[in-house]
Amino acid sequence: MEISLAGQVAIVTGGGRGLGRTYALDLARHGAKVVVNDNGADLNGRGEDHGPADSVVAEIKAAGGEAVASYDSVASYEGGYNIVKTAIDTWGRLDAVVCNAGMLRDAALHNMGEDDWDTVLGIHLKGCYTLVRHAWPVFRQASYGRVVFATSASGLWGNFGQSNYASAKAGMIGLMNVTKLEGAKYNILVNLVGPVAATRMTMALMPEDRQKMMRPELVAPAVTYLCSPQNTESGIIIEAGGGGFNRASLVKSKGVNFDPNTDVDAGWFGDHWAEITDITGAPDMWNMADTRAKHAADVAGGAQAATKNTI
Ligand SMILES: NC(=O)c1ccc[n+]([C@@H]2O[C@H](COP(=O)([O-])OP(=O)(O)OC[C@H]3O[C@@H](n4cnc5c(N)ncnc54)[C@H](O)[C@@H]3O)[C@@H](O)[C@H]2O)c1
């Protein structure tokens, strides 16, 4: 399958280092003009440095591509506006946004300070809102848009000491689930990528032989594909890294139904716990085929997005 973003414009937040750098380079390699946004903060989200964004812009240009740097923080509403404005002012259009900027303030819950909570939620989760909020009118007017949020296994499955980070990353599922519906009739597709890669964020946690297996370049194909016009799916969570890709999903068990005209009590609930929580054979709320059919119908007829599950 040929993937091409020729003539299109993409924003990558946190594009100056690690995974964001490889996303920006790969999108440019596939024809996109790229806004490389990065405020150059340290791993804890402090300080500023124009160097990372500038050097990725230079790399893209040296390879024959087009790129422009942006140094705004994604954590402010104005910052999100300025990043989107950079794309419009420079090239007059915007087709894809990768919300990837991130940092860490790990602590077990009993040590989790309010500032560490607010800062992490502000950069990771609000940092997605500020971008899509300002990209949305542009996408709606063009009846086209592609969005990727950078989630994490920490939010999908849990990781000790990251209640702030995991909450932000899991919050992106809710943001995706709503924006996939609101964007459907405008051909705006929203997906999540949960990467694993050796970057400054994870390097210290990985032995050297594992770092070699976890190249950020192994994640980029998923992001480029989801940002491309060739992608027709929305509302999908892809995990990527270390030589593998898979889909992650929330499922709904068949559960136990009872006559609502009768009363049940907590003891009854306890007695039925095993059946209620048994997810054997549980389907996704939106399966791939339904998503494809729905988008085809939406694009063709501007139909309202279906919100009921498929069980
Ligand atoms: N590396 C992994 O294994 C891994 C796993 C799961 C999720 N992620 C997520 O992937 C994304 C990229 O992580 P990475 O490993 O490449 O980390 P990284 O530290 O190498 O890169 C993150 C970049 O974001 C920038 N940034 C931080 N705050 C910003 C702000 N307010 N505005 C603009 N830019 C800002 C930093 O300057 C940095 O260049 C993050 O959202 C991270 O949570 C990474």
Side-chain angles (χ1 to χ4, degrees):
M1 176 187 258
E2 192 185 331
I3 304 300
S4 174
L5 288 92
Q8 296 200 333
V9 173
I11 290 170
V12 181
T13 72
R17 296 189 185 101
L19 284 156
R21 172 181 162 273
T22 66
Y23 302 160
L25 292 172
D26 201 53
L27 286 163
R29 198 173 303 123
H30 285 82
K33 299 161 187 159
V34 185
V35 178
V36 181
N37 162 259
D38 203 302
N39 73 351
D42 70 16
L43 189 50
N44 299 128
R46 298 185 176 94
E48 275 182 42
D49 181 2
H50 291 187
D54 287 343
S55 93
V56 174
V57 167
E59 264 189 278
I60 291 172
K61 286 184 173 170
E66 288 185 59
V68 64
S70 141
Y71 315 112
D72 282 279
S73 170
V74 297
S76 83
Y77 193 73
E78 295 74 22
Y81 175 82
N82 289 337
I83 297 164
V84 170
K85 188 170 182 293
T86 300
I88 303 302
D89 287 351
T90 310
W91 294 299
R93 64 184 289 165
L94 177 62
D95 301 279
V97 174
V98 183
C99 295
N100 162 81
M103 36 65 73
L104 294 174
R105 298 267 183 99
D106 292 358
L109 183 66
H110 61 277
N111 292 320
M112 178 67 67
E114 187 181 3
D115 182 55
D116 292 339
W117 176 274
D118 288 346
T119 302
V120 167
L121 270 286
I123 290 172
H124 285 275
L125 185 54
K126 186 180 171 190
C128 292
Y129 156 73
T130 64
L131 260 292
V132 291
R133 175 64 185 85
H134 294 296
W136 218 248
V138 181
F139 288 163
R140 278 169 53 112
Q141 196 164 16
S143 279
Y144 183 90
R146 299 288 182 268
V147 177
V148 173
F149 298 137
T151 186
S152 164
S154 178
L156 298 176
W157 318 117
N159 196 25
F160 194 97
Q162 294 195 314
S163 57
N164 52 357
Y165 179 78
S167 299
K169 293 306 199 186
M172 291 174 191
I173 299 173
L175 185 59
M176 172 186 76
N177 282 339
V178 172
T179 51
K180 80 180 179 189
L181 298 177
E182 295 181 3
K185 83 171 182 183
Y186 300 99
N187 192 19
I188 304 170
L189 310 184
V190 187
N191 294 286
L192 297 188
V193 170
V196 191
T199 67
R200 68 172 185 169
M201 197 177 268
T202 52
M203 213 77 112
L205 309 170
M206 290 185 194
E208 211 167 302
D209 55 338
R210 192 163 154 76
Q211 287 179 23
K212 286 192 189 122
M213 289 166 53
M214 309 305 283
R215 289 178 289 123
E217 288 79 5
L218 300 178
V219 176
V223 172
T224 297
Y225 175 79
L226 291 170
C227 283
S228 74
Q230 285 72 41
N231 169 38
T232 57
E233 300 279 359
S234 199
I236 305 289
I237 305 170
I238 298 292
E239 292 190 288
F245 298 104
N246 65 275
R247 180 181 179 185
S249 182
L250 292 174
V251 296
K252 182 166 167 166
S253 78
K254 194 161 184 297
V256 175
N257 299 304
F258 57 92
D259 181 352
N261 297 310
T262 63
D263 289 324
V264 299
D265 60 13
W268 181 94
F269 181 82
D271 289 340
H272 290 83
W273 177 262
E275 263 180 286
I276 291 167
T277 58
D278 180 6
I279 57 169
T280 308
D284 297 300
M285 297 289 282
W286 255 22
N287 65 33
M288 299 283 281
D290 287 350
T291 305
R292 242 189 313 271
K294 190 187 76 56
H295 282 138
D298 285 350
V299 171
Q304 285 297 308
T307 53
K308 67 185 176 65
N309 69 59
T310 57
I311 294 172

